[in-house]
Amino acid sequence: MFLLPLALQAADPPIDPRYKACLDLATSNPEAAQNEAERFRLAGGGARARQCLALAYSMQEKWRDAAIAFEAAAQEAAAAKDPTATRYWAQAGNAWLATGEPVKAYAALNNALTAGALTGQDKGEALLDRSRALVAAGQLAAARTDLDAALEEAPRDPLAWLLSATLARRMNDLPRAQSDIAQALRLSADDASVQLEAGNIAAMAGDADAAKAAWEAAVKIAPTGVAGQSARAALGQFDAPAPVPATAPPNK
């Protein structure tokens, strides 16, 4: 699951018309935006031109190029004492996660969070991403700390509750997993990933009926998606003669 929410946000107003045009082009024609971003940089666009280039790479899922460009934007902005450096570091961290490099992701996200400029939803998203980097690095206790902080900043974000529930399951904390997945379901029951995890947690609790119902919901919501396919695989056990107790698919 790779998200780049901050990358799709323009700078706070007032906004340079050329910067806005470059961002718009990055989402509509990312290949053309690469050239425009370079022209914008040569014309003095600075960190924002580099961010536009990074967004163009992101839209093409060229995550490593995007991460490098976001970091360059962050460094240039920081040198100019531009507070948007914090946002660019967060974007870099997200892109490094997409490349599967949690150490680099953690470093970038740590730069974003220690600057102290992120607040509210933006801070919550950066904390979520840093927790993902920590999980990937096997540091589950530290990831729990970040997830708890993320829930404080963004209590209505279903992804935060989903990731928190998944982490609790991985840490064998069934009560916490059940409580958190209930919150995720309340906020986003039509998300196949949420239903998949609800089934995993029900299986962990030995509730085969609830696990089957949740996995069936995931398949119905996203029959060809990753979550739907994982749920379909988990449902295969119910074709066996003795389907109880249900077992969750391997930890994701």
Side-chain angles (χ1 to χ4, degrees):
M1 174 188 309
F2 299 120
L3 306 175
L4 208 58
L6 292 174
L8 300 177
Q9 298 175 4
D12 295 333
I15 183 170
D16 182 325
R18 185 164 186 179
Y19 174 48
K20 182 179 185 305
C22 191
L23 292 182
D24 290 344
L25 187 62
T27 57
S28 63
N29 188 343
E31 291 183 359
Q34 291 177 216
N35 293 327
E36 170 56 22
E38 179 61 16
R39 290 191 292 268
F40 184 24
R41 186 185 68 80
L42 292 173
R48 291 179 177 179
R50 294 185 186 278
Q51 189 214 17
C52 180
L53 175 62
L55 178 55
Y57 285 138
S58 299
M59 297 302 296
Q60 299 172 80
E61 298 188 358
K62 295 179 178 179
W63 298 115
R64 178 176 294 277
D65 290 336
I68 292 169
F70 278 131
E71 286 201 344
Q75 291 163 353
E76 187 164 344
K81 301 190 183 304
D82 183 341
T84 57
T86 299
R87 179 176 292 170
Y88 302 152
W89 280 122
Q91 293 167 351
N94 190 284
W96 282 123
L97 278 175
T99 71
E101 299 188 58
V103 174
K104 290 182 178 180
Y106 179 86
L109 290 158
N110 205 49
N111 284 339
L113 287 161
T114 55
L118 293 177
T119 60
Q121 188 71 26
D122 287 350
K123 183 177 181 180
E125 289 171 359
L127 285 163
L128 282 181
D129 281 343
R130 193 169 70 177
S131 76
R132 291 167 58 206
L134 289 164
V135 167
Q139 299 183 43
L140 302 190
R144 167 50 62 199
T145 298
D146 270 1
L147 271 172
D148 287 345
L151 289 169
E152 289 289 329
E153 297 291 338
R156 295 196 58 78
D157 186 340
L159 177 60
W161 291 106
L162 170 60
L163 294 181
S164 185
T166 302
L167 180 60
R169 174 173 60 81
R170 292 184 63 175
M171 297 178 75
N172 296 312
D173 185 348
L174 180 58
R176 177 70 188 267
Q178 291 172 319
S179 174
D180 287 357
I181 201 61
Q183 288 288 348
L185 285 166
R186 184 176 64 82
L187 293 167
S188 191
D190 60 350
D191 185 325
S193 295
V194 172
Q195 291 290 354
L196 172 64
E197 185 58 35
N200 295 347
I201 292 168
M204 181 182 181
D207 189 339
D209 289 341
K212 184 177 181 181
W215 289 332
E216 287 175 342
V219 171
K220 183 177 180 180
I221 293 166
T224 62
V226 173
Q229 291 174 352
S230 295
R232 183 178 285 108
L235 284 167
Q237 69 192 282
F238 291 102
D239 295 330
V244 179
T247 56
N251 285 343
K252 300 291 183 181

